[in-house]
Structure formats: structure tokens, C-alpha cells
Amino acid sequence: MQANGAGQGQNQELACLSAAQNGESSSTEEAHSNGLIPSNNNGNNVNNNNGAPSGGDPGAPASSAAAASGSEMGATLKKKKRLSQSEEDVIRLIGQHLHGLGLNQTVDLLMQESGCRLEHPAATKFRNHVMEGEWDKAENDLNELKSLMHSPNAIVRMKFLLLQQKYLEYLEDGKVLEALQVLRGELTPLKYNTDRIHLLSGYLMCSHAEDLRAKAEWEGKGTASRSKLLDKLQTYLPPSVMLPPRRLQTLLRQAVELQRDRCLYHNTKLDGSLDSVSLLIDHVCSRKQFPCYTQQILTEHCNEVWFCKFSNDGTKLATGSKDTTVIIWQVDTETHQLKLLKTLEGHAYGVSYLAWSPDDNYLIACGPDDCSELWLWNVQTGELRTKMSQSHEDSLTSVAWNPDGKRFVTGGQRGQFYQCDLDGNLLDSWEGVRVQCLWCLSDGKTVLASDTHQRIRGYNFEDLTDRNIVQEDHPIMSFTVSKNGRLALLNVATQGVHLWDLQDRVLVRKYQGVTQGFYTIHSCFGGHNEDFIASGSEDHKLYIWHKRSELPIAELTGHTRTVNCVSWNPQVPGMMASASDDGTVRIWGPAPFVDSQDFEEDGSSMNS
């Protein structure tokens, strides 16, 4: 068979013979460059007689042998099993993909042999007229396509899109009068999308083509804009008439995304390109790529470590301890090892909560219930900017930064709830709210506060309104909110870790495994796209769940007392920190020395 299976003239007969010898179709119909003309073989199969043509003189010319074989094949054709709908769909999808690669002769042969049709002949004609810019012919084609459409209104929309392209191309060519005629005589009478027509009329004032393309956000006359137009037009046609553009790639991409979504350990950035994965194997991530292994143990604190938090840029870790100190650790961006950067001292009651400012320049430290003071540190200089205390009767145990980085809110269980500036000046206060934990939403107005009534309420300091958002049946020891502000993760006394949807105000999931009594334990979202949840536990373990699954995907051991806090590095998805009453901070990461053999043993894809 000749290249791409498309012979011409006398060689066409030889191509048919070769096809017959391989059990292929014997149709001798001239191949069409667009591959869209149906075959006349009706899907019949050829008896290849083990690849040896029966009858005829072996020494005869090839053309004679082909003719003899061809006539014999006509007599021995057997009715092939009719293709199912799904089989026809697959053939059409493959044909479309090959057509997109420019393998048109291969597409012709595929369609002839299968008896399928890539698309309706009227659609093919319409496609060619659009791509060639023959707008009057394309408009006439719509009348032929009308009977094939599900929605009669689609014709008007398609006509509008065609005329819009015609109008813009006239304008780009400087044919203003012709463009004006299209606008007044063809587009306006459609009485469709009048707002768009007003916008289009404004393009008449464009002084040059570049100005037109910029204002219309249009690629200009040519293949690119016409292909884009065809993609829009296709959405109004049934797939039986014209396939959606790049349909096979779309299905493959969806399959890859579904496999990634179902992969419990997938923790790398999603790449929409199919070139980044292998389609020959299923997507599986190895547990060895996940932060389940102790990379480093920080032992500089000399008492219980109550809190840990990575900076927003992921380059630093702050840890607070009962030993009255805060330690700032520097994260090496290459080795992911941490080294001590600064020690901030003088927190007489110990440090039970820390909050980085949005720009990471400042760090606020709070103490336990009997602490009435709050420390605001300049991280760059290590100097104390503000030490705030409104009253010795106060309990300032929690804090949250406003997104503007110029204000923060703080409060405690003795009924204090303040909004302050960076110098500790009181801007606003809310009376009678016993605060357990705080969070500022991205709108810059709403503050979420969990209180002693087992609920989370939203407080607006601008219009002084508040509303109930979450109601639990047991005390909320702590909570954190996802980056998009939609989900809240609660550590609930005696119940464990609960996930709430703040917008719908519903409990989404209760995570199993963790031991939670009345200690304050801080959990976190983490990983790429915040797909994971991690929490400490009173059984000395650290638990990790996939956000969608109630059962833990990892239980990490190593600490010897209660794990009080877990922080996932927001910039390094494979790094976590945990703080424990055993006086240590553990840094968790992937298994060391992971190589290709590890992946093969796990049946995992190297593209994970």
C-alpha cells in the first residue's frame, strides 16, 4: 500500500489489492481530501484467503492480478457485523483527531472501510465555506442545516455570528460601506442581541486594523478567527451532524482529571496539557511522594510546643512554646531543611497562638487563657513593635489579621473582642462576645468568631451586624478557613474534625480517627488546591485525610505526647510541620531517595 493508503490512477487498483490481502475494504472510490464522503462498501469485509489472491496468473501484470482479485473479492464479500453506536462514535472521534493532525488520506481510508461518516455532508460544506470566508454561501448552508437542528432559534444565533465575522472582516479590509450595509441591512433586521449591535457599530470609528482587533478582542481576518467562529457555531449543531471541536482530546483530558481526582495522594500542580501525562497507564501517585516521613526534628524549645505556622510565602516557620519563646525558622527553598533564624523572648505565660501579617513582615503572638497581653513583632528586625494590653482582666488568646495588613482583631473567653491598628490602638470593640478563635474573611469586613455557645458567628465591624453561621453540639476548640473562604475546618471537643460549608451553612463531613478531648488542637488545609486536611491528636499521632474522604489516608507517628498543631507549607505542598507537648517540632516530607524503581514497585506513574 502506498503512503497513507491513498493510491492514484493505475496504482489505485494495487492499493485495493493490498488492502484486500490484509483483510481490508476493497472500495475503489476516489479518496476525498476532507475524508467526509461515505463509503459504498456498506461495511462489508473481505475474505483474504490467508493473504493469497485466488485465481489469476501469478505471472500476469499487477494491474491484471488486482482486477482479477477485485472481481473475486466482490463475489466473496461477507456481511460484516453492523457497528454499534459506540463503535461508530469512536471511529468518528479518531477520524476527527487524525483530520486535525493533517492525516486526511488516512481519514478517507478509515471512513471508507468502516462505512462511517465523519460529519454530515451539509456540515462539511458549511465548514469549508466558513473557513474560506464565503459568507453568502455559508448563510445559504444554514437553510440546509435547519432541518437537522434541535432548536429552531439556533439559526438566528448562528446567522448573527456569521454576519458579525463578515462585518469585522469588511472593516479590517477598509470596506466601510460594505460593513455598514451588513450592519444595517443584515444584522439589525435579525432583531437579536441589540446591545452587541450597538457595540459593533462603534467599531466603525476605529482608525486602523490594530485598533479594531484590540477593541473587538478579535484575532483578525484569517484561519484563527474563523476556526474560533466554527467552534462557536458547532455548539448549535447536534454531534451527529458535526462533532464538537477536539472532542477526543476533551474526553482524554476529562479521564485524566478524573483519575487525578480519585488519586488519594495526588499533591502536585494540575497541568491541563495531555503532553504532561502518559495515556498508556492509569494515574497513580505513590505514598512515598507524600509528606508522610520525618525529614527533621527541631529540638530547640525546652518545653511543650503549643503552636506552629508557616509564613504566607512559605520561607519561614514560627513556633510558639510554653517556654515563653517564639522561634522563627528559615526554610531552605532547595533542601527544604530548616535552620534557626531568630528567637523572640519574653512571653511570660507562654505562646499558644501565632498569626503572620499578609505581607509576612509582622507576627502576632498570643498566650493562654490567663494572658492579658499580645505581642506584635517585626520579623525582619526581631524588634517588638507593640505590646498590647487593654486591661489586666482581659484574656487575649486569639488573633486574626485584616487582609489590608493594617488592622487585626483579637479576643478571648472573658468577653473581649477588639479591632486594633499596628500600634495597638483600639479602633472598635464588640461587647459580650467570649471568643475562642478568630478569622478575617477576604472581604475585609467580616470577622468569624467561635464562641462559648458552640457556634461560629459572622461579625461586621462596619455596619455592626452579626449572624449565626455554624452551630455545633459541642465546644469548638479551634477552626481555620480555606483560602477561598468557602470551607471551615473545626476541631470539636470529644468529636474530632468537622468540615463545614460556610456559604450553604451545612456540615459537609466528619473525619474519623483523630482523638480530640478538651485540649486545643489546631488542624489545617494543605497540599495543592488545598485538597488535604491534617490534624494533630491526643493519641500522639498526626492524621491526614483527603478532603473528600472521611477515613484518614495517613497516620503519622513519631511524637510521644499530644500533637497540638499542624501547619502545611502554603508554597511547598510536600512539607508539613507539627508541634507537640513532647517539646519538639517535626518537619514532614516525601520519602528520601525516591527513584523510578520506587514508583514501579508501587505501580505508580512517574508523571504524578
Side-chain angles (χ1 to χ4, degrees), residues 308 542 559 563 565-567 576-580 584-588:
C308 62
L542 189 156
H559 286 293
V563 180
C565 184
V566 182
S567 179
M576 284 191 307
S578 58
S580 170
T584 68
V585 175
R586 283 182 176 252
I587 306 301
W588 305 84

Side-chain angles (χ1 to χ4, degrees), residues 481-557:
V481 177
S482 60
K483 286 179 182 176
N484 61 12
R486 179 71 186 260
L487 301 172
L489 192 62
L490 285 59
N491 283 74
V492 184
T494 71
Q495 302 300 300
V497 180
H498 292 179
L499 183 69
W500 280 78
D501 186 315
L502 296 176
Q503 184 173 312
D504 296 337
R505 303 184 195 181
V506 294
L507 176 63
V508 177
R509 197 159 285 114
K510 296 181 179 181
Y511 297 101
Q512 301 178 24
V514 69
T515 303
Q516 168 80 63
F518 287 90
Y519 284 109
T520 298
I521 293 176
H522 300 272
S523 55
C524 67
F525 293 97
H528 264 301
N529 203 33
E530 294 193 325
D531 281 334
F532 303 97
I533 284 165
S535 178
S537 176
E538 292 180 22
D539 62 4
H540 314 167
K541 295 179 183 178
L542 189 156
Y543 289 82
I544 303 175
W545 300 267
H546 195 286
K547 197 161 56 179
R548 296 190 310 272
S549 177
E550 295 179 359
L551 297 175
I553 61 172
E555 298 179 18
L556 311 187
T557 58

Side-chain angles (χ1 to χ4, degrees), residues 430-446:
W430 210 293
E431 297 298 325
V433 182
R434 298 180 182 274
V435 173
Q436 178 72 24
C437 193
L438 292 165
W439 193 274
C440 288
L441 294 185
S442 57
D443 63 5
K445 302 174 184 177
T446 308

Side-chain angles (χ1 to χ4, degrees), residues 237-259:
L237 293 170
S240 58
V241 176
M242 182 187 283
L243 283 172
R246 297 170 292 281
R247 182 61 183 161
L248 182 60
Q249 292 98 312
T250 300
L251 290 172
L252 291 173
R253 192 175 295 111
Q254 289 172 352
V256 169
E257 288 173 359
L258 182 62
Q259 287 192 14

Side-chain angles (χ1 to χ4, degrees), residues 16 20 24-28 41 44-47 49 54 66-79:
C16 293
E24 297 175 354
S25 163
S26 62
S27 170
T28 57
N41 67 359
N44 292 330
N45 200 17
V46 177
N47 183 353
N49 291 324
S54 57
S69 176
S71 62
E72 193 159 316
M73 283 187 295
T76 58
L77 285 175
K78 295 181 179 179
K79 198 74 176 176

